[in-house]
Amino acid sequence: MDSQNLRDLIRNYLSERPRNTIEISAWLASQMDPNSCPEDVTNILEADESIVRIGTVRKSGMRLTDLPISEWASSSWVRHHERARSNERKES
């Protein structure tokens, strides 16, 4: 699978809700041949301008490590939820 198709696939997956790097990697492995799954999903995510790193989580329950795991969302998801949060503040 070429990188553009891979990015499109990930963007679609992230349109539902934010996911962490481990969730994205596991989902990709289930969608394609695990032997051809990219090893460094973070580089793919960082290279896409329509995908945003929205934070990190210390423990995801999926990995036995203390290293932080990035949380990712599509830029459209971020815009939609920023707008909703802005409206909540106006009503307060």
Side-chain angles (χ1 to χ4, degrees), residues 26-90:
W27 179 79
L28 278 175
S30 74
Q31 298 298 308
M32 48 196 294
D33 177 12
N35 296 328
S36 66
C37 191
E39 290 187 22
D40 196 357
V41 173
T42 301
N43 284 340
I44 294 168
L45 296 167
E46 287 176 339
D48 193 319
E49 293 180 6
S50 65
I51 297 174
V52 180
R53 184 188 319 244
I54 59 172
T56 56
V57 291
R58 278 279 170 205
K59 295 275 187 183
S60 72
M62 299 179 76
R63 189 181 259 186
L64 300 173
T65 181
D66 288 333
L67 296 174
I69 299 168
S70 295
E71 189 84 13
W72 304 89
S74 65
S75 56
S76 60
W77 186 93
V78 171
R79 281 192 306 274
H80 174 76
H81 285 82
E82 283 177 344
R83 191 170 31 244
R85 193 179 317 164
S86 174
N87 290 338
E88 287 175 8
R89 288 183 195 146
K90 290 178 185 176

Side-chain angles (χ1 to χ4, degrees), residues 3-6 8 10 13-16 19 25-26 28 32 40 48 52 57-58 63-64 66 70 85 92:
S3 63
Q4 185 58 44
N5 288 339
L6 191 58
D8 290 342
I10 294 170
Y13 182 59
L14 290 175
S15 67
E16 300 170 14
R19 316 273 182 164
S25 296
L28 278 175
M32 48 196 294
D40 196 357
D48 193 319
V52 180
V57 291
R58 278 279 170 205
R63 189 181 259 186
L64 300 173
D66 288 333
S70 295
R85 193 179 317 164
S92 301

